Every structure is written in C-alpha cells, then in structure tokens.
Amino acid sequence: MKSSYNPIILALIALFSAATPAAPESGYRLWLRYDRISDPATLTLYRKNITGFVIPGESPLIKSARQELSTGLSGLLGQNIPELRSPARSPFLIAGTPASSKIIRSLIPPEDLLKTGDEGFIIRSAIYRKNKIIVITANTEKGILYGSFFFLRLLQTHSDISALNISEAPKTKVRILNHWDNLDRSVERGYAGLSLWDWAALPDSLSPRYTDYARANASIGINSTVLTNVNANAMVLTTDYLKKVAALADIFRPYGIKVYLTARFSAPVETGKLKTADPLDPEVIAWWKNKVEEIYSYIPDFGGFTVKANSEGQPGPQNYNRSHADGANMLADALAPHGGIVMWRAFVYDNNVPDDRAKQAYNEFVPLDGKFRENVLIQVKNGPIDFQPREPFHPLFGAMPKTNIMPELQITQEYLGASVHLVYLAPLFEECLKSDTYARGKGSTVASVIDGSLFGHSLTAMAGVANTGSAENWTGHPFAQANWYSFGRLAWNPYEKSEKIAEEWIRMTFSNNQDCIDGMKKIMMSSWENTIKYMTPLGLHHIMYSGHHYGPGPWVNRGRQDWTSVYYHRADSSGIGFNRTTTGSDAVSQYFSPVKEMFNNVETCPENLLLWFHHLPWDYRMKSGRTLWEELCYEYHEGVNAVRQMRKEWQKLQNCTDRERFEQVSGLMEKQERDAIIWRDGCLLYFQSFSRKEIPSGLEKPAFNLNYYINHKYTDIPGIR
Ligand code: GCV
C-alpha cells in the first residue's frame, strides 16, 4: 500500500523519533506497553488495515481478549479503534471461534483448525464482501485470547501484516511458573522484592497487579502457576488459605491460568493431626482425598500439586520406607477424579552423600520408570546439580521412556548474579533443549523428550522458577523481564531460537529502531557466556559463596560435604576438576552413547564442560595452546573485560530508552563490573594457592589479597544478607 507522506519527511521523523529519549518509565508495563507506533509509515499502514474490530461473545476469556484488543489496538494505532457491532465496510479485524461467528465459518475451512488443538489459533488475512479483513480464530476461546496477544505482538514488533497466514499451537500442555514464595511474603531466591501474593490482605483485598500478572503470562502462553514454595508450608492447604487461593484463581481464570499449590508431604500430620503421612496408610489416603475434594470445592479448575519430597530436609515417602512412586501415585489418585496432576520433583540427593551428587537423581528415579500414574510428571532440573551457570543436560532426559518428564528451568538468577547482573537466560535454556540425548539415536533432543514426541507422551509440561516480586518493574533488573518472557516463549515452543525471542522482546520493551535492536541484542546474546567466564569457566560449578549464591566462595569447605565448593572443584596441587569419567565417579555412564564417550574422553569433551567431567593437571594443554592454568586466567579476565565492554555498548544506547530505565541499567552494570572483578580475583587467588603459578603477564593483577575476598560482605544486593 502506498503512503501519502513524502519519503524524506518520513525518514526524518523516523530518525528523530528513534533518537529521542522517551518519557520516564518504571518498567511496570513489561512488554505490553502499547505506545503509539513511532514509525509513521508503519502506523499509516496499520491504520489503513484496521479500522475497528469485532469479537463476539461475553465469556470471561473473550472479555479479556476484548479488553486487550481494545487497549492494544487503540494504544498502538494512536487513535480510537472501536469495537464494531457489525462488520464494517472498511478493513477490520475479527476474532472468534467458528461457533461464535458466521463470517469465520464462511472463511476458514474447519480442517484448517484441526492442528491448532485447544489452545492454538490461526491468524489470516482474508477478503469479506470485497473488503480486506484480518481473522483471528481458534477452536476455543482460550485460543482466541492467545491469538489476540500474538496479533498485538505483530504490531508491537512492526511486522508485515499485509498477507497473514499464521497457524500456532503450543508444543507443551502445562506451561507453568513455580513461585518459591512463602506465606510471610518472603521469596526463596527472590531478588525483586516481596512475594506478589499479599496473603494477609487476601481474599478481601485484590491488588490490580494480580490481573496484570495474569495478562503478562497469558501474553506469552503461560497457562499455569504454582503459588507457593517447594519448601512447602502445610498451612496453605487449610480452609482459610484455600479461600485466598480461590480469590487468586478467580482473577487468573479469565486469562486461562490455572493455579497449583505445593503439597507438603507431612501435611496430614501437621495440619490433619494424623499420626503418620505414610502414603500407603488408608487414613492418609483418605485425608488427601478429602483435602483434594475440599480444594476443588473452592477452585473447580485447580491444577494439582508440585512436590519436593525427601530432598534438602523436606519430608517424603522415604521417611516411611516407601518409594517416590508410592508418594506421587497416592497424590495422583486423589487428584485424578478431578483432572488434576502431580509434578513430582527429581531434585533429590542424599544428605549422607553416598555418591557423586550429580548421579543421585538418576539412580533414584530410573528404576521407577513405568511405575508412575498417568497424571504424574517427573520434574527434572535442566542439569544434574542445581541451576549452575552452565551444566550438561540432565541424564534423566531420555532415560525414563515410560514416564512423563518435564524440565524445570530457573528464571530467577540464583547462581547467575541475582537481579544485579544482566544475564539473558534464553541461550542457556536453548542449549539444554537442543542437546541431543541419543536416547533413541541421533536427533533425540531434550526438546523432543519434553514435547512428548520422542516417547509418545501426551501429558507434557515445562516449569520455570519465577523471578517476579513486588518491585515496581516486577523483576528488579529491567533486562530480567526478558528471562520471564523467553521462558514463556520457549515453553510454548521449545524449538524457538533465543536470538529471535530477544529481538521480539527488545522491540516490545524498548524500541523498534534497528540500531537499538542490534545494540541490545548484542549485549543480551553474549551476556550468559560472559557471566560464565567470570564465575565458573571451563566447567567449574558450585563454587559460590554458601548461603547466598551471589559471590564467589571456592574456599567454602565447611558443613555438609556436597554443599561445599571443594567437593565440586577438587583443586589440589596436582590440578583441578571433578573426575566423573569411567575412572572417577562414572557419572558419564548415565548418558547414552555416544554422549557418554564424548564426555568421557578428554579430547572430545567440550572445553566449556571440561572440569565438570575431568580432573586435569594445571599444565594440561588446552586447544588454544595455553596451559589449563593460563586458560583459566584468560577466561576470568575475558569475562570481566566483556562486562566493561557491555557498559560501553550500553552508553551508546542512551537514546533507545527512557532516562529512568537507562540510569537503572547503567547503575546495575557498574555493580556488575565491580562484582565480576571480585569473582575473578577471589577465584584466581584461591586457585593460585594450589597451582602456584603466576597470573600471565599482561593480565590485571588482583588489587587485594585472598583474605579480602574471603571476608567480603555484600550490603547492596537485593535479597542477599
Ligand atoms: C527451594 C537449591 C536452592 C534452594 C531450593 C532448591 C530446590 O538448593 O538453593 O533454595 O529450594 O534448590 O530447588 O528445591
């Protein structure tokens, strides 16, 4: 379509609109900003294509979609885009199911919707009575809601909407946030303020934030949320709390979001006054059955339970000499008549440290394959230890073909710099999802386990440990919003590319100007690798300070052995690294061939996981020609230098954002540089006490001695005391 503006004037306006800093923004609106489209040509085109919208129906889901289309379209197009009672003679948008709209029935053949299931949708350009229209349709109203958000995203990202033919369906069924939120509003590993759930005020007082939380999630396809910490409190299962939970569920339902709770395994004893929580005890079975019935009486679409059992002090079936399957199945049987599910976590390891911690979940769960009910999923962290900056994929992926397996990713940055360091996590998630398990030969990726295609499972899910809190911008660091966003997009489609997701998010959250997109994308896409370099290069892991996991603590050697750093890095005068090869703990043998051999052989083991699998001498020759010690020094230095470079790049992007967010990010980057240096120098000085080698010339030398770093206290990091 031809624009009526002079192209030179258009170019000038575009240049100035991109180069003018916007009004201050707190970040509250996340990626749903709906500000008027700044590019005049795009705006004109969109205005010509959408003069109004039709959305038949009055159900809660349709009302949510209507509200979103109304604010979104009018905001983005900078003029009132009215809801039409009947089709207009000018181009319009129509959103509805075939059942709700004759126009849609006449335009979309029913077979086209077959593949979209009960949550997917179609967005298509069409001609109706010689008029160009845009159709959003789906089998269900939930699909209409998702389609509406998707369409708004097309506008927000300045996409071409002239010939649309989009068909989308999520690849997983349950796309769920796990909130590690306690009933006193503290958040375990939370760095963005208090819990969103104001339990004391619920159910009478309902913050508007609850609706905005639901909108944000729905906009990226998240359809479930576990409200409470996996280190669970049985109190949330009492009647008074269930009423509070029901109030939240009522707000989330119109956005297609189901609530779930964590079930404390000992609840029958703690709140039910039974003498045991043995999952095979008839009274215990009856207690859970009644409790579940009570929950459904308040929340008819309750999703089910997430359970951490027999892990890090949590009670579980093993307290009664029962297996994880006995425990999970007992809860699953109580939930099954109501359509509920159990997400049973595989994050278990023995406090007696009988074996390499990396091996324990596999050893515990693989023998139980096929023993879980159909409404049970085993929830597996992306790697075998615990959300480290980099881990190999968890060997349980692919190893339990007869069991529903779901991944647990961590969106909150427990081991990745809290909400201070800019770390875009989608490349980490993508690396795990793309990993080939070889469970059924080449191409058996983790993603194919998760979407159910590898072993033919239909109950599929992906969980992300949330990074949200009461901070005005939800996540503390403005860029941490991208981690929430990308989790949702990857849960919808585990094959999506992190770079594409970054670009979408930047366009919606900051700017559609190409230089801004390129600059921010560069920062985001390199941020994870850079952080690994100054924290845990070459496969090092779990060398954080104990208690908080923010700063370095390779010297931590007291307390429970597998909570110390020395257990993991095993540095001594002969070298460094954990020997998990066939000559060591043999964790490699939990992987299928040829992954096992690849990790086992020092020549083929990727260098970025070298010290995860191998203990090597300090003068081991790396591919670069440097010794291992030298390489370690260079990696740590490169990490710090990359943060410095990132700060410079950010300064160039001043006009890509408002002053408020620009200053906030600048301040955070300053801290990130300071703390990256602490990581580098603390770790190198400590490891140097074993290697007894000089830091190569040309590299910066630590400003203080080792004791300084050992005694360093952080006073300005959110959530860290
Ligand atoms: C919720 C790690 C964290 C704990 C967390 C645990 C888990 O150990 O440090 O805070 O507890 O993982 O995932 O259960």
Side-chain angles (χ1 to χ4, degrees):
M1 220 171 285
K2 243 180 135 195
S3 158
S4 51
Y5 290 90
N6 176 326
I8 299 172
I9 296 178
L10 281 182
L12 282 173
I13 298 173
L15 190 76
F16 280 108
S17 56
T20 312
E25 266 193 68
S26 67
Y28 181 84
R29 294 183 298 164
L30 296 159
W31 47 88
L32 300 175
R33 289 160 68 246
Y34 302 149
D35 286 340
R36 194 171 81 125
I37 286 164
S38 53
D39 171 37
T42 309
L43 182 61
T44 308
L45 272 173
Y46 287 174
R47 282 179 174 172
K48 281 189 181 159
N49 274 284
I50 311 161
T51 58
F53 70 101
V54 178
I55 179 162
E58 282 305 326
S59 72
L61 282 163
I62 289 296
K63 280 187 180 158
S64 301
R66 171 178 296 124
Q67 178 64 43
E68 210 62 36
L69 285 173
S70 173
T71 44
L73 293 175
S74 295
L76 288 161
L77 273 52
Q79 62 187 28
N80 180 35
I81 302 295
E83 185 183 355
L84 308 167
R85 286 180 191 275
S86 55
R89 282 172 205 273
S90 47
F92 65 92
L93 170 89
I94 180 164
T97 61
S100 73
S101 158
K102 228 161 102 181
I103 301 179
I104 289 177
R105 279 202 299 281
S106 73
L107 292 173
I108 309 290
E111 60 273 18
D112 289 11
L113 277 168
L114 281 178
K115 277 198 196 143
T116 61
D118 55 8
E119 291 189 298
F121 52 83
I122 284 175
I123 304 179
R124 202 173 275 180
S125 302
I127 302 289
Y128 177 70
R129 293 187 181 159
K130 300 191 184 152
N131 202 6
K132 245 187 124 187
I133 68 166
I134 294 167
V135 179
I136 301 176
T137 187
N139 294 313
T140 63
E141 292 177 337
K142 206 169 171 196
I144 298 299
L145 178 68
Y146 289 147
S148 301
F149 275 116
F150 192 100
F151 180 71
L152 289 169
R153 185 190 305 148
L154 293 178
L155 303 188
Q156 288 175 281
T157 54
H158 296 194
S159 309
D160 182 1
I161 59 162
S162 55
L164 293 166
N165 189 10
I166 293 166
S167 177
E168 277 275 327
K171 293 197 190 299
T172 59
K173 270 214 169 96
V174 182
R175 304 174 295 279
I176 188 163
L177 287 182
N178 284 193
H179 289 273
W180 287 356
D181 293 19
N182 299 314
L183 300 184
D184 63 2
R185 291 194 77 185
S186 60
V187 181
E188 184 155 350
R189 311 304 178 187
Y191 313 105
L194 297 176
S195 166
L196 292 171
W197 327 129
D198 190 350
W199 293 108
L202 283 164
D204 307 308
S205 163
L206 302 170
S207 159
R209 253 196 183 219
Y210 300 147
T211 307
D212 288 328
Y213 166 84
R215 286 179 54 233
N217 282 321
S219 76
I220 46 176
I222 290 174
N223 63 5
S224 305
T225 180
V226 190
L227 300 176
T228 45
N229 192 352
V230 288
N231 290 330
N233 185 335
M235 190 119 74
V236 79
L237 300 175
T238 59
T239 306
D240 283 349
Y241 270 92
L242 291 179
K243 290 179 187 161
K244 297 169 192 275
V245 173
L248 290 174
D250 290 345
I251 297 175
F252 299 163
R253 192 170 298 113
Y255 287 91
I257 294 167
K258 282 189 183 185
V259 301
Y260 294 66
L261 292 173
T262 44
R264 184 157 165 90
F265 206 77
S266 50
V269 177
E270 287 168 27
T271 62
K273 308 280 179 261
L274 298 192
K275 294 218 162 53
T276 176
D278 180 348
L280 300 192
D281 182 287
E283 276 192 79
V284 173
I285 295 171
W287 188 88
W288 280 108
K289 185 170 173 288
N290 291 337
K291 182 49 72 185
V292 166
E293 270 164 20
E294 185 191 359
I295 296 175
Y296 279 93
S297 73
Y298 290 108
I299 310 151
D301 57 351
F302 179 66
F305 294 132
T306 296
V307 187
K308 173 174 177 177
N310 293 119
S311 167
E312 300 187 333
Q314 293 298 303
Q318 291 179 334
N319 297 25
Y320 307 95
N321 291 322
R322 311 295 185 196
S323 72
H324 284 282
D326 293 329
N329 291 344
M330 182 268 295
L331 293 174
D333 289 344
L335 289 158
H338 309 275
I341 61 168
V342 173
M343 285 161 283
W344 191 269
R345 296 176 88 228
F347 180 68
V348 298
Y349 57 104
D350 197 323
N351 20 353
N352 298 318
V353 201
D355 203 347
D356 176 2
R357 176 173 159 187
K359 291 170 64 184
Q360 293 181 38
Y362 179 102
N363 288 344
E364 192 80 56
F365 278 87
V366 168
L368 298 176
D369 188 28
K371 299 216 161 70
F372 292 96
R373 298 281 191 265
E374 280 182 4
N375 60 333
V376 174
L377 286 135
I378 300 303
Q379 182 166 316
V380 180
K381 289 189 181 182
N382 58 291
I385 296 286
D386 187 12
F387 301 135
Q388 293 307 293
R390 172 173 265 127
E391 299 200 23
F393 69 87
H394 202 300
L396 271 176
F397 292 117
M400 295 182 71
K402 293 186 230 139
T403 307
N404 301 314
I405 298 284
M406 65 185 281
E408 176 177 319
L409 306 175
Q410 196 180 46
I411 311 171
T412 192
Q413 292 167 236
E414 174 180 355
Y415 295 97
L416 276 154
S419 56
V420 174
H421 298 218
L422 192 161
V423 188
Y424 175 51
L425 296 177
L428 181 167
F429 302 157
E430 187 184 351
E431 181 172 285
C432 170
L433 293 165
K434 278 201 321 211
S435 299
D436 199 340
T437 68
Y438 281 85
R440 282 199 157 170
K442 194 169 166 47
S444 308
T445 60
V446 171
S448 73
V449 175
I450 285 158
D451 72 6
S453 60
L454 192 68
F455 299 119
H457 291 291
S458 56
L459 178 56
T460 55
M462 195 190 286
V465 181
N467 63 349
T468 50
S470 60
E472 182 61 17
N473 72 358
W474 302 85
T475 57
H477 199 304
F479 277 80
Q481 295 178 354
N483 295 333
W484 179 9
Y485 181 85
S486 58
F487 167 75
R489 300 285 289 118
L490 285 166
W492 180 274
N493 179 5
Y495 301 89
E496 198 63 274
K497 298 278 169 288
S498 53
E499 188 167 351
K500 176 171 172 258
I501 298 172
E503 171 152 351
E504 267 173 31
W505 178 81
I506 295 164
R507 285 177 178 273
M508 291 191 282
T509 312
F510 286 106
S511 170
N512 272 283
N513 173 279
Q514 199 56 50
D515 290 340
C516 298
I517 296 167
D518 293 346
M520 291 196 193
K521 206 160 71 176
K522 193 167 156 208
I523 287 179
M524 288 169 77
M525 290 307 292
S526 55
S527 60
W528 171 53
E529 287 286 1
N530 293 339
T531 306
I532 297 171
K533 285 185 181 172
Y534 64 73
M535 285 187 178
T536 52
L538 304 178
L540 285 173
H541 52 286
H542 217 300
I543 56 169
M544 290 74 192
Y545 198 77
S546 57
H548 74 68
H549 292 146
Y550 179 79
W555 44 81
V556 173
N557 60 3
R558 295 224 182 107
R560 187 179 155 167
Q561 211 195 327
D562 54 1
W563 284 355
T564 66
S565 301
V566 293
Y567 173 85
Y568 295 98
H569 64 64
R570 308 206 165 196
D572 54 25
S573 56
S574 71
I576 182 170
F578 198 130
N579 182 1
R580 294 195 165 103
T581 68
T582 43
T583 65
S585 81
D586 198 25
V588 289
S589 294
Q590 294 184 337
Y591 291 94
F592 291 91
S593 290
V595 182
K596 168 186 167 180
E597 290 74 16
M598 188 247 307
F599 286 146
N600 195 46
N601 181 344
V602 71
E603 297 294 326
T604 55
C605 182
E607 286 197 342
N608 60 24
L609 285 172
L610 203 59
L611 304 179
W612 185 285
F613 288 109
H614 298 267
H615 185 88
L616 294 169
W618 293 107
D619 54 9
Y620 172 79
R621 205 46 74 182
M622 302 291 290
K623 297 208 169 74
S624 63
R626 297 180 185 128
T627 66
L628 173 57
W629 165 252
E630 287 165 352
E631 191 82 350
L632 206 59
C633 295
Y634 276 97
E635 288 275 311
Y636 272 111
H637 279 79
E638 273 175 29
V640 168
N641 292 341
V643 177
R644 290 179 175 144
Q645 183 58 29
M646 174 176 76
R647 288 187 66 186
K648 284 193 195 134
E649 304 279 344
W650 180 249
Q651 291 308 314
K652 291 188 216 151
L653 300 172
Q654 189 149 3
N655 288 342
C656 296
T657 181
D658 55 288
R659 189 148 191 87
E660 198 171 340
R661 287 184 295 170
F662 178 78
E663 292 299 345
Q664 192 186 358
V665 172
S666 301
L668 286 164
M669 283 182 174
E670 196 178 327
K671 267 192 205 179
Q672 183 173 354
E673 181 182 334
R674 178 199 65 192
D675 294 340
I677 293 171
I678 291 178
W679 261 101
R680 179 193 71 187
D681 294 347
C683 288
L684 285 181
L685 281 173
Y686 172 77
F687 290 132
Q688 191 179 39
S689 68
F690 299 101
S691 78
R692 307 234 161 258
K693 292 174 191 300
E694 289 300 313
I695 293 176
S697 64
L699 298 183
E700 259 172 74
K701 302 289 173 299
F704 306 99
N705 66 19
L706 182 56
N707 270 335
Y708 170 87
Y709 299 98
I710 292 177
N711 295 317
H712 184 77
K713 297 263 178 301
Y714 300 90
T715 56
D716 53 0
I717 309 301
I720 308 289
R721 284 167 292 276

